[in-house]
C-alpha cells in the first residue's frame, strides 16, 4: 500500500462528459493542487475510478514521502448497503442457463447528471431505475416501468450513443434476440432494431459486447459474444458463433452480421488499439470449460477497415507458425482475468 495517499472526489460530470476540455477547464486546477500537496520525491502514481456518480482521483507515491506528509494511516473505507432504503427491489434470477450474466448499466438517461440504472433480470424482467436522489441527500431511485425496457431474458446492458444525437442508447444482451433501445430523453426508449437494421438471431445466448467507431463511420461497429448452445453436443462446437456487426454501405443502418469463427463461449470482449497502430482490434476472453484444450484459447481478432476480420493466431504469409511468438497459449489463458471491459471516464456510462 502507498503511504501518504490522498483521495479527491470530483463531481459526476467528469464521467458523464465526453469533452476533454471540460475536464481540463473545471478540474485540472484542483487535481494539480492535490498532486502538489502530496510533495513526493519521485514516481507519482495517479489513478482514476468511476463508481456510481463520482470520479475519484487517487494520488499516491511509490517512494518515501516528505517529512511533512501525514504519518497516521487513514481509516478503512466504509460502505453501507442502502439498496432497499434507496428504493431498488430487483432480482436477477433463473435457471442454470442464466448463471453467466447479471449485468448493470449506470448512465444518465434524463440529463440531470446523476447516474440512472438499468438492471438485467435474467428470467425476470429487466428494470430501469431513475436516480431521484437529492444532491447531498439520501440515495433514492424510482422504478420506470415500460414494456420497452422491461425485457425478459436480459443478461446485461451497455450504454452507448449509437446515432450520436447526444442521448444515450442501450444495447441489451439477451437469451434470445438482442435489442437496441434508442434513447428519447427523460428516461424513455424505443426499440430500434428495425430502425438501424440490426439482424439479431432469436435463439442465441449473448454474454459479451463491445463497440468502436471505424474511420469516419457514423454508426459504431458492434461485437456480440455468445455463449453455450444447449442444442449442441459437438465437443468441437459447443458455443454459438460470436458476431461482428458493421454499418452497411449506406452508413445509416447495419449490414448482416459476420460470424467470428471459431467461437469458444465468450465471457467478455474489448476493442483495443493494443498495437498503437490506430486500428481497434477485438480481444475476446473465453470460457475454457467449453472447448478442448487442443483447440480453444483466448482470442485477438484483427479488425482492419474494409477487410474481413482475421485471427492473429492465423499464420501470416511466409510464416510457418500457427500463432504469434510469445508465451504459449495455455499459460496466456491461465493468466487472463475472468472478464475484461471498458469504463472510460469520457464515455456515456459504465457497464459491469
Amino acid at each position: 500500500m502507498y503511504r501518504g495517499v490522498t483521495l479527491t472526489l470530483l463531481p459526476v460530470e467528469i464521467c458523464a462528459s465526453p469533452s476533454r476540455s471540460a475536464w481540463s477547464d473545471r478540474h485540472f486546477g484542483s487535481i494539480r493542487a492535490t498532486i502538489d500537496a502530496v510533495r513526493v520525491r519521485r514516481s507519482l502514481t495517479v489513478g482514476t475510478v468511476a463508481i456510481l456518480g463520482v470520479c475519484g482521483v487517487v494520488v499516491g507515491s511509490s517512494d518515501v514521502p516528505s517529512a511533512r506528509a501525514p504519518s497516521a494511516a487513514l481509516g478503512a473505507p466504509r460502505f453501507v448497503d442502502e439498496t432497499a432504503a434507496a428504493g431498488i427491489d430487483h432480482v436477477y434470477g433463473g435457471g442454470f442457463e442464466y448463471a453467466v450474466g447479471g449485468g448493470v448499466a449506470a448512465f444518465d438517461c434524463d440529463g440531470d447528471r446523476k447516474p440512472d440504472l438499468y438492471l438485467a433480470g435474467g428470467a425476470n424482467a429487466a428494470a430501469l431505475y431513475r436516480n431521484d436522489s437529492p444532491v447531498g441527500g439520501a440515495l433514492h431511485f424510482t422504478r420506470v416501468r415500460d414494456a420497452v425496457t422491461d425485457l425478459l431474458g436480459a443478461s446485461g446492458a451497455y450504454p452507448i450513443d449509437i446515432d450520436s444525437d447526444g442521448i444515450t442508447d442501450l444495447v441489451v444482451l439477451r437469451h434470445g434476440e438482442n435489442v437496441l433501445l434508442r434513447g428519447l430523453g427523460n428516461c424513455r426508449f424505443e426499440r430500434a432494431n428495425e430502425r438501424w437494421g440490426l439482424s439479431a438471431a432469436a435463439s442465441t445466448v449473448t454474454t459479451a459486447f463491445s463497440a468502436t467507431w471505424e474511420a469516419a463511420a457514423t454508426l459504431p461497429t458492434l461485437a456480440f459474444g455468445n455463449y453455450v448452445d444447449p442444442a449442441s453436443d459437438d465437443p468441437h462446437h459447443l458455443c454459438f458463433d460470436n458476431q461482428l456487426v458493421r454499418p452497411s454501405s449506406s452508413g445509416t443502418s447495419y449490414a448482416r452480421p459476420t460470424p467470428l469463427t471459431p467461437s469458444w463461449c465468450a465471457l467478455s470482449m474489448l476493442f483495443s488499439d493494443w498495437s498503437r497502430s490506430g486500428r481497434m482490434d477485438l480481444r475476446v476472453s473465453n470460457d475454457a470449460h467449453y472447448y478442448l484444450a487442443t483447440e480453444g484459447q483466448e482470442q485477438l481478432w484483427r479488425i482492419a477497415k474494409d477487410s474481413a476480420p482475421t485471427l492473429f493466431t492465423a499464420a501470416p504469409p511466409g510464416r510457418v507458425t500457427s500463432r504469434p511468438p510469445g508465451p504459449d497459449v495455455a499459460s496466456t489463458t491461465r493468466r487472463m482475468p475472468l472478464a475484461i471491459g471498458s469504463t472510460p471516464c469520457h464515455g456515456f456510462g459504465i457497464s459491469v
Side-chain angles (χ1 to χ4, degrees):
M1 178 179 290
Y2 291 129
R3 293 165 55 190
V5 172
T6 300
L7 174 64
T8 301
L9 296 182
L10 302 174
V12 66
E13 59 260 34
I14 300 174
C15 288
S17 173
S19 170
R20 189 175 185 273
S21 62
W23 166 272
S24 301
D25 295 344
R26 298 180 188 179
H27 304 295
F28 184 80
S30 63
I31 296 171
R32 183 68 262 170
T34 302
I35 293 174
D36 291 342
V38 176
R39 306 178 73 85
V40 297
R41 293 189 181 129
R42 63 178 184 271
S43 301
L44 195 64
T45 300
V46 180
T48 305
V49 296
I51 304 175
L52 286 185
V54 295
C55 271
V57 178
V58 183
V59 183
S61 167
S62 59
D63 202 347
V64 179
S66 69
R68 286 189 284 177
S71 58
L74 299 176
R78 179 171 175 266
F79 296 92
V80 178
D81 184 357
E82 295 189 359
T83 308
I88 296 179
D89 182 10
H90 181 77
V91 174
Y92 175 90
F96 178 76
E97 65 271 25
Y98 291 103
V100 176
V104 53
F107 64 106
D108 182 9
C109 64
D110 57 3
D112 64 357
R113 297 197 174 194
K114 291 183 289 190
D116 308 294
L117 303 176
Y118 186 78
L119 308 172
N124 302 320
L128 176 64
Y129 280 88
R130 185 180 63 243
N131 189 342
D132 291 328
S133 309
V135 176
L139 294 177
H140 180 66
F141 290 84
T142 302
R143 173 76 182 271
V144 180
R145 297 184 181 274
D146 190 326
V148 174
T149 51
D150 294 353
L151 295 170
L152 294 173
S155 59
Y158 287 78
I160 177 175
D161 188 2
I162 291 177
D163 54 3
S164 301
D165 63 354
I167 302 175
T168 303
D169 311 305
L170 280 174
V171 177
V172 183
L173 311 185
R174 300 177 65 233
H175 287 230
E177 182 190 36
N178 295 317
V179 176
L180 304 182
L181 296 179
R182 178 172 175 260
L184 304 176
N186 198 28
C187 293
R188 294 180 300 113
F189 295 85
E190 67 178 9
R191 175 186 164 93
N193 286 35
E194 293 73 24
R195 179 189 185 97
W196 289 323
L198 179 68
S199 177
S203 60
T204 56
V205 177
T206 303
T207 50
F209 174 81
S210 192
T212 188
W213 272 261
E214 295 185 79
T218 55
L219 292 177
T221 293
L222 312 177
F224 293 92
N226 298 319
Y227 205 58
V228 178
D229 180 356
S232 176
D233 57 4
D234 180 359
H236 306 285
H237 193 193
L238 292 173
C239 313
F240 288 109
D241 288 339
N242 300 328
Q243 295 182 327
L244 185 74
V245 184
R246 283 170 148 165
S248 64
S249 57
S250 70
T252 59
S253 62
Y254 283 106
R256 293 193 62 82
T258 299
L260 296 175
T261 55
S263 296
W264 309 113
C265 289
L267 291 169
S268 58
M269 291 176 151
L270 178 66
F271 279 107
S272 170
D273 182 10
W274 66 277
S275 62
R276 300 298 184 265
S277 64
R279 184 188 65 241
M280 300 293 283
D281 296 319
L282 182 64
R283 182 76 166 87
V284 185
S285 180
N286 295 311
D287 192 337
H289 186 72
Y290 293 104
Y291 59 75
L292 299 176
T294 54
E295 295 180 350
Q297 62 185 59
E298 303 291 277
Q299 293 172 304
L300 180 62
W301 290 88
R302 180 187 290 107
I303 309 296
K305 184 178 182 296
D306 300 326
S307 299
T310 57
L311 271 173
F312 271 87
T313 47
R319 288 193 55 177
V320 178
T321 179
S322 61
R323 58 186 171 90
D328 63 272
V329 172
S331 64
T332 302
T333 302
R334 285 195 296 270
R335 289 198 302 270
M336 282 302 301
L338 177 64
I340 50 179
S342 179
T343 58
C345 250
H346 60 275
F348 293 93
I350 61 175
S351 184
V352 294

